[in-house]
Amino acid sequence: MTFGFAPSSAASSSASAASAHRVLEPAEWAAAGIPLLRNPRDVVSGLHSRHHPGPATAVVAVLDPDERLRASASFVRRPSAADGWMFRNALLAQLRRVIPHDLRRRTPVRTAVLLYCREGDARWTEEDGAWMWGLRDACTLHGLRCGAYITLTRDGWQVLGEGRGGRRPSAGSTPEPFGTTGTPSLPPRTGGAASEVLRRAVAR
């Protein structure tokens, strides 16, 4: 049901200002001390083969200290304004489904990375900044280290903030044969408010 009240310009400006604080600029991301992946192409290829992401698909993965995949989940973003808070909630819901938290540890030992498949080129966008904010905050709330943010476009993949990337895999490319690295994810749990914001795809 729709009521006849239009948001005021002041309210719209206030909402835009609030959202702006939930975006990380490239310089902020670079200064955050994000750990480098030893072999980013293997990580990207493994996630691409496992989840076959299409445009607007996010893949969040948890790696152990040896960079072995412990769990991962993919979901499709609904069309909406880029908002780090919403992205944080969606990522946190997925992490809770596939792996227990590490909040009891004094120092995080596992790392979460995010692969996002989108249209456009590899240059940073405000949407990327919102995903970065969301990933960092979700990791804090789940007791994980915040790891790399990787974009996947038709030009290939790019680790934002590091300048490392490659042409394959790319958005729309045929997945390479998947090896036996990683372990099966835990059985999913249902529920979560984030399902109203993002449409969940299969978690593998």
Side-chain angles (χ1 to χ4, degrees), residues 41 78 98 116 143 172:
R41 188 183 187 280
R78 285 180 181 243
V98 299
Y116 184 56

Side-chain angles (χ1 to χ4, degrees), residues 48-73:
H48 183 258
S49 297
R50 182 180 289 266
H51 291 276
H52 307 177
T57 300
V59 182
V60 61
V62 178
L63 309 178
D64 69 12
D66 294 322
E67 224 166 82
R68 291 191 298 259
L69 180 65
R70 309 313 300 176
S72 63

Side-chain angles (χ1 to χ4, degrees), residues 58-62 71-76 87-99 142 185-186 188-189 191 194-195 198-204:
V59 182
V60 61
V62 178
S72 63
S74 62
F75 56 97
V76 177
F87 292 171
R88 184 277 306 274
N89 290 346
L91 292 169
L92 193 57
Q94 297 296 328
L95 289 170
R96 287 170 174 165
R97 289 178 62 231
V98 299
I99 199 163
H142 206 62
S185 61
L186 297 177
R189 296 195 295 269
S195 60
L198 298 172
R199 177 164 53 87
R200 297 184 306 189
V202 177
R204 298 180 178 89

Side-chain angles (χ1 to χ4, degrees), residues 11-22:
S12 299
S13 299
S14 176
S16 298
S19 296
H21 292 296
R22 297 192 287 260

